[in-house]
Amino acid sequence: MSKDKPSIPKGTRDFGPATVVKRNYIFSVIKRTFEKFGFLPLETPAMENLSVLTGKYGDEGDQLIFKILNSGDYASKITAQDLENGSKPLTPKISEKALRYDLTVPFARYVVMNRNEVAFPFKRYQIQPVWRADRPQRGRYREFYQCDADVVGTNSLLCETEIILMMDEVLSTLGLDDFTIKFNHRGLLAGIAEAIGANGREADLCVAIDKLDKIGQDAVNQELLQKGFTQEAITNLQPVLGLSGDVADLLPQLDTLLQNSDEGKRGLQDIRSMLSYLESLEVKQAKLQLDVTLARGLSYYTGCIFEVKVNNVQMGSISGGGRYDNLTGMFGLPGVSGVGFSFGVDRIFDVLEELNLFPEGSQTITQVLIANFDEASMRYSLPVLQALRTMGISTELYPDSTKLKKQMTYADQKQIPFVLLIGSEEMETSLLNLRNMRTGEQHRLSLTEIIDHLQTYFSA
Amino acid sequence: MSKDKPSIPKGTRDFGPATVVKRNYIFSVIKRTFEKFGFLPLETPAMENLSVLTGKYGDEGDQLIFKILNSGDYASKITAQDLENGSKPLTPKISEKALRYDLTVPFARYVVMNRNEVAFPFKRYQIQPVWRADRPQRGRYREFYQCDADVVGTNSLLCETEIILMMDEVLSTLGLDDFTIKFNHRGLLAGIAEAIGANGREADLCVAIDKLDKIGQDAVNQELLQKGFTQEAITNLQPVLGLSGDVADLLPQLDTLLQNSDEGKRGLQDIRSMLSYLESLEVKQAKLQLDVTLARGLSYYTGCIFEVKVNNVQMGSISGGGRYDNLTGMFGLPGVSGVGFSFGVDRIFDVLEELNLFPEGSQTITQVLIANFDEASMRYSLPVLQALRTMGISTELYPDSTKLKKQMTYADQKQIPFVLLIGSEEMETSLLNLRNMRTGEQHRLSLTEIIDHLQTYFSA
């Protein structure tokens, strides 16, 4: 057996109890919201067949997929020629499985495999880890959770509207009160390409515009020039990049700009429908902003696109999504329109920490620790322990009769709010000593009074 | 892009919504119980360094670990000589990470890495998938969840007692009323080895006895003979294998049998302590049975061992565990005693299905579907949709104005218990038509009445 100092792989994390509890708080708010909107949970295997994943994320993505070595005598499959040809062609000979890279491709695969059993429109959510062999850096991990919700099998703009509502509900429930949901439409981007005289170049336009926040307007122009956009097109684009104001100001300007583009008009119509549905609904905290420079990198979006930014916090987008028209086409099932979005849990976690928004007491698991003075006190405590648990109060009895100080430290480390002290006097009088660890107050109470007190305290 | 019919790897499973909901019901009962007993959640990465896992599960286990191919140009590390030497020595040259094989080794690794921050005794639970390259067969998967709870850093037999209570609570809460918690002690097995004249051979004795249920007494004897046990020892063993009766009958017989064995007497003392704690506590449904033939294969157990069997159901054990004295020793931290156990969720799932114990309605996610007749009905429905959700009722509005029959089928497929019908008459009168999908009853009610009705219905 190895006696080496153990470690974990680069870019992965252990989540200790305090962190798991906070993360579960975020997951539970997201899950509760998804379910309140009628989304059903799906779970797919960590491993997918390599052929299912390959070719779905571009060449760069393919490199970042973690491949699993075949079991058995894989080495006998390798020839001297293979070694000369290098790793890329060798991989499929010694690996047929890989770790999932996102939740979207497994979802598409599931829909295609189960197309006859699934109730369409299929509203599913999925909260599972994904793995990417990216270079680890601050905030970028090789294992991280995605929280996706998608509807496939309908074109209804009610779905887009509800994405805004779910983003608003999750983030409001988590206590955020200053965040902006930016939206745009791929049709507007296509229309803008037409309008500036770069018809059909919206893909390149998107990729460049998508970097506007990161690299600035000049660098974007430079990139467009390199990609073969004419100077005239770039000049025409500048006023568009500078468009500002609220959606009521922007829409008429865009009507004019995009009057000759069918795609542009489709985008404007979709946005107007979505906004008109929203008028009958209540948005709690989100600010809404039509941002014609919002592009989102993923080329499979075809309709509305979304991104959420927390204001006054240094942090990239914490949620995003959009409509796609051909997700299942990659597996031979064309014509299934869908729309989806996801939350970035690691970023939300950091925002809640920074803004101190994790609710106090949300990390409490054990509610009462019964101190262990000696064998007699321990035996006396056993029915008390059971009575508290039966009333739904999470309780533990310290397993050893060690120094009280050590037991109190244990309660502090585990953030246990109450300690019950049962010494010889308490056993005689049946009045047990309940100590509030935050205030330091102690009261002698009967077991019934203790249960009452604790139930009131924890239901508050 | 591949247009092949997609599939999932052998031995893995997609969990569709109905199954996820049922599995989550089991997980939530387990989790709630662990937390009620003061266990804190831990999550470790799916990938561990290969060196952390290798050598911990025996040669056979090492073969079953899924290894991850290194990123980058791994092929250039392979020489012609490597190909001749075969897969086993090649693997560490092209793979440095692997998927976790169980939750115990990662837990030990975590404790060692965080020994200075963890509050001892450390009570942790962990519910995560593990991966094994076993040959898939009925009931055996390559990806499956383990649900472990362990306490490390104390010798107290209160921990063993609480394992019995947790097994009892989880299974009783899930509705099982006929199951047996079998227990034994490694000291008894060591004592028996001494008593039959096979001193120090308890490891081989355990491995053989462990198969008693599967292969029968004769085959066990045969195996012991092959392993070099004397015929006399085997003859001496036979009355022990046949010991029966309840624990009150067995203990005095064992006192006599093991009177010359320190290990045996330690085992009997531990069992008596555990049982005496249990006398002050209430066991709900479990039958308890001291089974001196219970061995459990894992050689790292050193004290009490446990196994749970559901009676009158064809199914192996659904829970088990025991005390170990040197789990963290494999990573250079000796002397940390611990005790732990786990639940087999796949088996519990099958038992609950067979006994029809999943609670009715536990699969309901969407509680109300609002039918979509036309654009006017849809717009009228939006504030209704929001009002229901605000009251905590999971509600969806069918996104398209399609045939009502299709919408009703959708509600049936998703097991949605209520459909709200809002046609022109309902819009005029503000009395909405609520249909109970199970009984077929329909009532025209105001929105307030509907909310009252549904809240009463779902809180029942």
Side-chain angles (χ1 to χ4, degrees), chain B residues 93-375:
Chain B
K93 294 187 74 171
I94 61 172
S95 163
E96 57 189 29
K97 290 185 287 291
L99 294 181
R100 73 176 159 246
Y101 181 84
D102 70 3
L103 303 179
T104 307
V105 169
F107 170 55
R109 191 233 349 111
Y110 177 85
V111 169
V112 172
M113 283 176 68
N114 297 277
R115 58 176 108 175
N116 297 321
E117 294 83 50
V118 157
F120 288 102
F122 183 43
K123 302 170 79 167
R124 88 85 173 78
Y125 75 86
Q126 192 167 353
I127 300 180
Q128 290 192 285
V130 301
W131 296 269
R132 296 184 182 179
D134 246 324
R135 192 176 298 276
Q137 58 185 50
R138 203 178 117 70
R140 193 204 280 160
Y141 304 100
R142 292 185 150 186
E143 172 180 70
F144 58 97
Y145 269 73
Q146 293 193 329
C147 304
D148 284 20
D150 291 79
V151 195
V152 292
T154 172
N155 293 306
S156 170
L157 285 152
L158 176 63
C159 304
E160 277 83 343
T161 312
E162 293 202 319
I163 285 179
I164 290 180
L165 292 181
M166 285 186 278
M167 287 171 163
D168 178 52
E169 173 147 339
V170 165
L171 300 175
S172 302
T173 306
L174 290 173
L176 293 173
D177 58 6
D178 188 7
F179 57 93
T180 300
I181 302 177
K182 296 181 181 184
F183 59 93
N184 194 11
H185 193 289
R186 276 294 166 104
L188 297 195
L189 289 164
I192 288 167
E194 274 188 72
I196 65 170
N199 205 344
R201 300 293 311 274
E202 65 268 23
D204 284 336
L205 190 63
C206 284
V207 171
I209 289 185
D210 201 33
K211 299 178 186 161
L212 192 60
D213 269 357
K214 281 180 203 143
I215 64 177
Q217 198 157 337
D218 287 348
V220 166
N221 292 339
Q222 201 55 43
E223 180 170 327
L224 289 170
L225 207 56
Q226 278 168 14
K227 284 201 174 150
F229 282 69
T230 63
Q231 188 58 58
E232 191 194 347
I234 294 171
T235 306
N236 289 341
L237 179 66
Q238 301 315 300
V240 179
L241 295 184
L243 277 178
S244 71
D246 66 17
V247 65
D249 297 329
L250 287 173
L251 287 176
Q253 296 178 58
L254 289 165
D255 283 334
T256 310
L257 184 72
L258 305 177
Q259 58 188 316
N260 297 317
S261 162
D262 287 344
E263 270 294 280
K265 284 188 274 188
R266 176 177 74 90
L268 286 166
Q269 194 181 342
D270 281 359
I271 287 175
R272 283 198 164 94
S273 294
M274 181 178 83
L275 293 175
S276 83
Y277 290 143
L278 263 184
E279 277 169 24
S280 306
L281 295 159
E282 187 207 337
V283 174
K284 294 171 209 275
Q285 298 284 357
K287 295 168 182 65
L288 296 183
Q289 183 195 341
L290 168 57
D291 179 354
V292 296
T293 69
L294 177 67
R296 288 187 69 79
L298 288 168
S299 57
Y300 59 71
Y301 290 125
T302 52
C304 287
I305 49 180
F306 302 95
E307 206 162 274
V308 184
K309 181 85 189 61
V310 182
N311 301 316
N312 305 314
V313 174
Q314 285 289 4
M315 180 65 75
S317 69
I318 58 171
S319 179
R323 179 171 288 276
Y324 40 82
D325 273 339
N326 199 20
L327 190 66
T328 56
M330 62 176 91
F331 298 117
L333 181 65
V336 181
S337 184
V339 57
F341 76 116
S342 69
F343 289 103
V345 166
D346 289 309
R347 287 182 173 180
I348 292 175
F349 187 97
D350 289 347
V351 169
L352 297 189
E353 282 284 30
E354 182 173 335
L355 300 177
N356 202 17
L357 286 175
F358 283 108
E360 207 197 331
S362 68
Q363 288 170 74
T364 299
I365 288 186
T366 301
Q367 297 169 313
V368 182
L369 174 72
I370 306 181
N372 187 333
F373 289 99
D374 51 29
E375 188 71 17

Side-chain angles (χ1 to χ4, degrees), chain B residues 371 373 404 408 417-423 425-426 431-445 450 453:
Chain B
F373 289 99
L404 188 59
M408 296 305 246
F418 289 96
V419 172
L420 195 54
L421 302 152
I422 310 181
E425 205 179 316
E426 286 85 359
L431 292 177
L432 315 181
N433 210 338
L434 184 69
R435 182 184 174 89
N436 180 320
M437 294 295 281
R438 280 183 201 138
T439 64
E441 284 178 284
Q442 286 192 192
H443 293 289
R444 292 195 183 226
L445 302 165
I450 287 170
H453 180 79

Side-chain angles (χ1 to χ4, degrees), chain A residues 258-418:
Chain A
L258 305 176
Q259 59 188 315
N260 297 317
S261 161
D262 287 344
E263 271 293 281
K265 284 188 274 190
R266 177 177 73 90
L268 287 166
Q269 193 181 341
D270 281 358
I271 287 175
R272 284 197 162 95
S273 293
M274 183 179 81
L275 293 174
S276 84
Y277 290 143
L278 264 184
E279 278 168 24
S280 306
L281 295 159
E282 188 207 336
V283 174
K284 294 172 209 276
Q285 298 284 359
K287 296 169 181 65
L288 296 183
Q289 183 195 341
L290 169 57
D291 179 355
V292 295
T293 69
L294 177 67
R296 289 187 70 76
L298 287 169
S299 57
Y300 59 71
Y301 291 124
T302 52
C304 287
I305 50 182
F306 302 95
E307 207 163 273
V308 183
K309 182 86 189 60
V310 182
N311 300 317
N312 304 315
V313 174
Q314 285 289 5
M315 181 64 74
S317 69
I318 58 170
S319 177
R323 180 170 289 276
Y324 41 82
D325 274 338
N326 199 20
L327 189 66
T328 56
M330 61 176 90
F331 299 117
L333 181 65
V336 180
S337 183
V339 57
F341 76 116
S342 69
F343 289 102
V345 166
D346 289 308
R347 288 182 174 180
I348 291 175
F349 186 98
D350 290 347
V351 169
L352 296 189
E353 282 285 28
E354 181 171 338
L355 300 178
N356 202 17
L357 286 176
F358 282 108
E360 206 197 331
S362 69
Q363 287 169 76
T364 300
I365 288 187
T366 301
Q367 297 168 314
V368 182
L369 175 72
I370 306 180
N372 188 335
F373 290 99
D374 50 29
E375 188 71 15
S377 140
M378 181 180 176
R379 288 190 181 271
Y380 185 95
S381 300
L382 290 173
V384 176
L385 173 68
Q386 189 156 43
L388 290 171
R389 284 181 184 153
T390 301
M391 299 313 289
I393 299 164
S394 293
T395 311
E396 46 184 308
L397 169 57
Y398 196 86
D400 300 297
S401 309
T402 52
K403 283 185 189 137
L404 189 59
K405 184 162 181 297
K406 191 175 169 195
Q407 299 185 41
M408 296 306 246
T409 305
Y410 175 84
D412 280 335
Q413 282 183 295
K414 280 185 87 164
Q415 305 196 36
I416 301 175
F418 290 95

Side-chain angles (χ1 to χ4, degrees), chain B residues 53-118:
Chain B
L53 302 186
T54 305
K56 307 304 187 299
Y57 307 105
D59 273 354
E60 210 174 311
D62 280 355
Q63 299 294 318
L64 301 183
I65 294 171
F66 279 112
K67 286 97 181 172
I68 293 162
L69 200 52
N70 290 345
S71 313
D73 188 19
Y74 65 89
S76 64
K77 310 273 161 49
I78 309 176
T79 65
Q81 184 61 47
D82 286 327
L83 297 186
E84 272 177 43
N85 294 344
S87 302
K88 208 175 157 184
L90 176 56
T91 301
K93 294 187 74 171
I94 61 172
S95 163
E96 57 189 29
K97 290 185 287 291
L99 294 181
R100 73 176 159 246
Y101 181 84
D102 70 3
L103 303 179
T104 307
V105 169
F107 170 55
R109 191 233 349 111
Y110 177 85
V111 169
V112 172
M113 283 176 68
N114 297 277
R115 58 176 108 175
N116 297 321
E117 294 83 50
V118 157

